[in-house]
């Protein structure tokens, strides 16, 4: 599935517009601990988190993750969006909590 | 032989990862195996962030030859009083502020160990720390 389809199916907010939405998704990883993500997330993963700062973009870019999804209506600051666009990492948002969002994405991907 | 060197600023989380990301770019240009690049990047990022989170300032030096990449991260900082303890998964002295950002799981050094072939820490309390890592480039498992 492409990031664009996930946005459409779940009604996600695309803070970075059309940037990177053609990326193909291969599974996902959910964690708010950055070195857990660094050590265990895989290329192409959707990353579900409530962490909302510059290092999240750096990690997603270094790990070549498909996109970041911020839970519970969290909105990233403009400089974060700017960096994400520069790194071509889609940053998306959902009003759902982590449990519900995980369940929905899991069902869509499996 | 390709040699790279970057400065790392302690405490500046906005720039943390920049040096690792530049090295990644070079490794890609050199056509190094993707699987190796992924592991090298994990180790470099964790080492870079440790300087940002725990030290005052430091440098990242990279030497790439056809058979291996040597990485040296040297900092001025508090040093590590018990390296064996620091290497344990879950051990962290990260401040509350740093933990709120999602650092401080105590997984950085274990991540480095898992993703490199050689890892060596030389440290002096109150002076600083030197971390040396090697990844062999002809050994993709
Ligand atoms: N360059 C350094 N200077 C001083 N202390 C360090 C340095 N690197 C690591 N340490 C010490 O070793 C501990 C463990 O490091 P490690 O990278 O495994 O975990 P962390 O940085 O605390 O958390 P995480 O990496 O999971 O975000 C640190 O909390 C710190 O006490
Ligand atoms: Mg660390």
């Amino acid at each position: 599935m492409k990031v664009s389809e996930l946005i459409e199916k779940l009604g996600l907010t695309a803070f970075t517009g059309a940037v990177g939405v053609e990326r193909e998704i291969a599974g996902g990883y959910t964690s708010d601990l950055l070195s857990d993500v660094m050590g265990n997330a895989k290329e192409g993963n959707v990353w579900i988190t409530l962490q909302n700062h510059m290092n999240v973009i750096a990690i997603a870019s270094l790990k070549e993750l498909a996109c970041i999804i911020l839970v519970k209506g969290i909105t990233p600051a403009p400089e974060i969006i700017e960096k994400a666009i520069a790194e071509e990492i889609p940053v998306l948002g959902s009003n759902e909590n982590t449990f519900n969002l995980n369940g929905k994405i899991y069902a869509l991907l499996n | 032989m390709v040699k790279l060197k970057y400065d790392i600023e302690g405490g500046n989380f906005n720039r943390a990862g920049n040096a690792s990301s530049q090295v990644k770019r070079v490794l890609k240009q050199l056509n190094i195996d993707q699987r190796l690049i992924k592991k090298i990047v994990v180790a470099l990022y964790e080492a870079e962030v440790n300087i940002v989170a725990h030290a005052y300032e430091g440098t990242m030096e990279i030497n790439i030859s056809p058979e291996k990449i040597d990485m040296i991260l040297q900092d001025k900082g508090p040093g590590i009083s018990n390296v064996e303890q620091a290497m344990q998964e879950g051990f962290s002295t990260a401040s509350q502020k740093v933990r709120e950002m999602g650092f401080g799981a105590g997984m950085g050094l274990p991540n480095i160990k898992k993703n490199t072939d050689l890892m060596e820490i030389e440290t002096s309390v109150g002076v600083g720390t030197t971390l040396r890592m090697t990844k062999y480039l002809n050994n993709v498992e």
Side-chain angles (χ1 to χ4, degrees):
Chain A
M1 184 183 295
K2 286 189 171 163
V3 171
S4 57
E5 293 171 65
L6 194 69
I7 294 173
E8 195 189 321
K9 290 203 158 99
L10 296 176
L12 302 172
T13 308
F15 297 113
T16 42
V19 167
V21 296
E22 291 301 304
R23 280 172 188 249
E24 200 61 43
I25 295 168
Y29 201 75
T30 300
S31 179
D32 302 319
L33 293 174
L34 304 186
S35 50
D36 177 32
V37 176
M38 206 58 212
N40 298 304
K42 299 273 181 307
E43 180 176 350
N45 277 180
V46 170
W47 177 15
I48 300 167
T49 185
L50 48 70
Q51 293 295 349
N52 162 34
H53 52 78
M54 292 294 215
N55 290 100
V56 174
I57 312 300
I59 289 172
S61 167
L62 285 168
K63 297 285 292 184
E64 299 179 31
L65 305 181
C67 62
I68 297 161
I69 310 183
L70 300 174
V71 295
K72 296 195 295 184
I74 291 169
T75 303
E79 63 269 22
I80 295 168
I81 297 174
E82 210 174 289
K83 180 169 164 97
I85 291 171
E87 302 277 344
E88 294 181 49
I89 300 292
V91 179
L92 315 175
S94 165
N95 288 323
E96 302 266 18
N97 68 30
T98 307
F99 180 82
N100 290 333
L101 187 66
N102 276 335
K104 286 185 181 175
I105 294 179
Y106 186 88
L108 280 174
L109 294 181
N110 288 277
Chain B
M1 180 80 115
V2 177
K3 286 175 180 285
L4 308 166
K5 188 167 180 180
Y6 305 94
D7 289 326
I8 300 167
E9 209 182 313
N12 188 345
F13 283 93
N14 281 340
R15 290 190 53 202
N18 284 8
S20 305
S21 143
Q22 303 214 40
V23 176
K24 182 185 172 191
R25 213 161 292 155
V26 173
L27 297 177
K28 285 197 155 179
Q29 281 163 4
L30 292 172
N31 272 319
I32 288 170
D33 190 285
Q34 289 283 347
R35 290 162 291 181
L36 290 172
I37 294 181
K38 285 190 164 70
K39 292 181 178 178
I40 293 165
V41 161
V42 172
L44 277 179
Y45 176 82
E46 294 291 4
E48 182 177 359
V49 169
N50 275 356
I51 296 182
V52 177
H54 307 297
Y56 316 132
E57 60 172 349
T59 53
M60 177 190 285
E61 260 184 86
I62 309 289
N63 296 313
I64 310 166
S65 68
E67 58 282 357
K68 63 176 183 170
I69 166 168
D70 287 312
M71 302 163 267
I72 305 162
L73 284 99
Q74 193 160 25
D75 69 59
K76 293 192 180 114
I80 304 173
S81 57
N82 184 339
V83 172
E84 203 185 314
Q85 185 182 41
M87 286 298 300
Q88 311 231 317
E89 194 155 323
F91 178 83
S92 175
T93 60
S95 67
Q96 187 55 34
K97 184 193 142 235
V98 169
R99 283 174 200 263
E100 275 164 18
M101 294 174 80
F103 297 103
M107 291 175 74
L109 292 175
N111 272 351
I112 292 172
K113 180 97 195 152
K114 271 180 228 155
N115 286 283
T116 55
D117 295 316
L118 297 173
M119 171 191 188
E120 186 187 282
I121 296 175
E122 200 182 299
T123 182
S124 171
V125 172
V127 180
T129 301
T130 301
L131 166 66
R132 291 192 179 81
M133 317 183 277
T134 298
K135 189 85 189 162
Y136 294 110
L137 301 177
N138 46 11
N139 160 21
V140 181
E141 76 272 23

